[in-house]
Amino acid sequence: MRTKAIRDSCRRVLVVALLLASLTGVSHGDVEFAESAALSVETPQSVVSGDFDGDGHVDLAIASTLGSSVVITLGDGTGGFGPMVEYATGSPFFLVVDDVNNDAVLDLIAANIFDASFTVLLGVGDGTFIPQTPIPCGNAPTSLATADLNEDGSVDLAVTAHGDDLLRVFYGNGDGTFSASLGLAFLTTPVFVVSGEFTGDSHLDLVVSNSTDSTFGLLHGDGTGGFPTIVPFNLGIDDSIWFISTHDLNQDGLLDLVIPCPNQDIITFMLATPGGGFAPSVSLTAGQQPRATLLADFTLNGAIDVAAVNAGSDELSFNEGDLSGGFDAAVVFSTESNCVSLTSIDVNSDGALDVVVANSVANSLQVFVNASTPSITNFRRGDATGDGVIDLADPILLLGALFGDDATPTCQDAADFDDDGTMGIGDVIQILDGLFSTGSPFGPCTADSTDDTLPYCYYPATSCAP
C-alpha cells in the first residue's frame, strides 16, 4: 500500500463523536466494548473497511442502497472520522474490497441489487475513488467474492445473481475491467458466495448458499477458472442461508464455515475435514434472526471469536472461541434498529479490533470500541519486540529507543526486564546477560503482576517460544 502525506487543505476533517472520552463502557465477562454515538448514513446495507488513503488508519465504505451511493469516511486513528463522501453507483447492496487493477491501492466493487449490475470504484490512493461504468451481471445481485480463480495474477469476481438462479464468474483483466462471465446454474436462488481453498489442491474454490432452504454447494476450482465438481451440503434444518463466513477455527490448517440461521435464531459452524468435507454442524445460541457474522480474535486470547448482528432483536452478539474450535455462550450488546452488516476495524489504533455495525432502518452506523481483557495472557519479560521470541532484536530495539531515534517498543512492559516501572540501560544489560549467560533466566509467559503505567502487550500462545 502506498503512503502519502496528508494534505490538510484537500479535506476538512469533521470529527464525529467517537472519541473514547464520550463512550459508555459495557462489559460482559471477558468481552468488553464501549458503545459510541452513531454515524448517520441512509439505509446502510453493507459496511467494509480498509486503508483507502494510505495513512495507516482504517477507513470505512458503506453501501447506501436507497441513497443510490457508496459512502466513504476516512478514519483518523484516534476514534474520529472525516466527512462522508458519496459516489453514485445505482443501488449498492453489497461491497467487497480488493486491488482489482494491480496498482497496490485498494478498490471497491458494489453489487447493485435493483440495477442488475455491479460497479467498480477504482481507488486513487488518497481516499477518493473513480466509479467505472456499471457492468451487467444478472438480476438481483446479492453478494460478491473476489479471488484469483484462474491463477493469472488478476482478481476475478463471483456474483450471486439471485433473481436468475445463477452464479456468475467474471474474469479480471488486471486493469480494473472484467471479461465475459461464466454462468453456473446448480442451486435454487443462490444468495451468498465466499471463496477459499477447501479441498487441499492449492486451487481456490467457492461456497455458494441457497436462500430457500439450508443447502449450500462447494464448487471445486480447477485453477483455470472452471468448477468441474459441485458437492452439495445440507444443514438439515428448516432455514435459509443468507450469509457464510470462513476461518480456521481449530487451527488445523483447514477452512471451517460459520453460518447464521435467522429462522432458528442460531449460528451453526461446520469444521472442515481433509479433501473438502465438513463435519456435522454444531449450533450456537445467538440473538433473534442473526443476519451476518464476523470472525476474529476480539478477546485477545489467540483463538477466533464469532461476532454477529441479530436483526430481529437489534443486538450485536459475541461467542468467545477457544483454541480447539469451541465457543462460549453468547453475550450481547444493544444496537439501533435492524442491524444487518458488520466489519472489524482498529478505530483508535490500540491494537484491538473494534466492530462497526450498519443499522439499515435506523439509518446509522455504530462503532463498538473493544476494551476486552484477554482470558489468556502471553506476556514475557525481555520480549521488547512482542514477537514471542527473546533474541538480540530485543535489547537492540530498547537501546535505539533509549539513545537513538528509534520508536518506543510496542511491548514496553516486556522491555522493562527488572519490572521497576521504567525502561532503562539496566534492562538492556540484564537481557543481554540472559542471552549470553549459561542457563535461561527468562521466565514463562504470564500475566503482569505489577501495577505500573507501561503499556502491556499480548500475543498468541503459539508464538510464545520457550
Side-chain angles (χ1 to χ4, degrees), residues 25-329:
V26 179
S27 176
H28 299 273
D30 293 322
V31 182
E32 185 175 351
F33 280 84
E35 302 170 16
S36 80
L39 304 175
S40 179
V41 181
E42 184 176 4
T43 59
Q45 288 290 340
S46 177
V47 58
V48 295
S49 56
D51 184 5
F52 302 137
D53 58 356
D55 66 351
H57 307 311
V58 184
D59 314 304
L60 296 175
I62 309 102
S64 174
T65 305
L66 297 185
S68 303
S69 63
V70 171
V71 181
I72 306 297
T73 180
L74 303 179
D76 64 10
T78 66
F81 287 91
M84 302 281 185
V85 178
E86 299 183 8
Y87 295 90
T89 64
S91 51
F93 181 80
F94 192 90
L95 290 175
V96 290
V97 182
D98 213 324
D99 178 11
V100 299
N101 58 350
N102 294 320
D103 64 352
V105 175
L106 289 178
D107 311 302
L108 295 167
I109 308 177
N112 301 309
I113 191 168
F114 301 133
D115 300 282
S117 68
F118 67 86
T119 300
V120 176
L121 296 91
L122 295 179
V124 176
D126 59 0
T128 64
F129 292 84
I130 303 173
Q132 307 300 294
T133 301
I135 299 173
C137 63
N139 288 315
T142 52
S143 71
L144 309 167
T146 55
D148 184 6
L149 299 173
N150 58 359
E151 300 177 9
D152 65 350
S154 299
V155 172
D156 308 309
L157 181 69
V159 185
T160 50
H162 184 65
D164 294 334
D165 297 342
L166 286 175
L167 175 76
R168 294 190 180 276
V169 178
F170 293 80
Y171 302 105
N173 298 315
D175 58 1
T177 65
F178 292 85
S179 63
S181 68
L182 168 70
L184 298 170
F186 63 97
L187 288 174
T188 303
T189 58
V191 71
F192 197 85
V193 59
V194 64
S195 63
E197 204 283 271
F198 295 96
T199 60
D201 63 358
S202 299
H203 301 312
L204 290 175
D205 313 301
L206 297 174
V207 174
V208 183
S209 69
N210 182 3
S211 69
T212 57
D213 57 31
S214 61
T215 61
F216 64 90
L218 173 59
L219 286 67
H220 292 200
D222 62 8
T224 68
F227 300 90
T229 303
I230 301 173
V231 180
F233 292 87
N234 195 328
L235 295 182
I237 59 177
D238 183 17
D239 215 320
S240 55
I241 302 176
W242 287 80
F243 193 92
I244 297 176
S245 50
T246 67
H247 211 291
D248 181 5
L249 300 176
N250 56 351
Q251 301 188 17
D252 63 353
L254 303 175
L255 282 179
D256 310 304
L257 303 179
V258 175
I259 304 170
C261 301
N263 296 337
Q264 301 292 327
D265 297 337
I266 59 174
I267 297 172
T268 63
F269 66 96
M270 303 180 72
L271 296 180
T273 58
F278 296 97
S281 63
V282 179
S283 298
L284 305 172
T285 301
Q288 297 175 19
Q289 299 176 20
R291 177 70 177 270
T293 54
L294 183 64
L295 308 179
D297 182 10
F298 296 104
T299 53
L300 304 173
N301 68 352
I304 297 301
D305 312 308
V306 178
V309 283
N310 301 275
S313 53
D314 296 331
E315 291 173 327
L316 171 66
S317 63
F318 286 89
N319 293 88
E320 182 176 356
D322 60 38
L323 297 176
S324 68
F327 297 93
D328 290 343

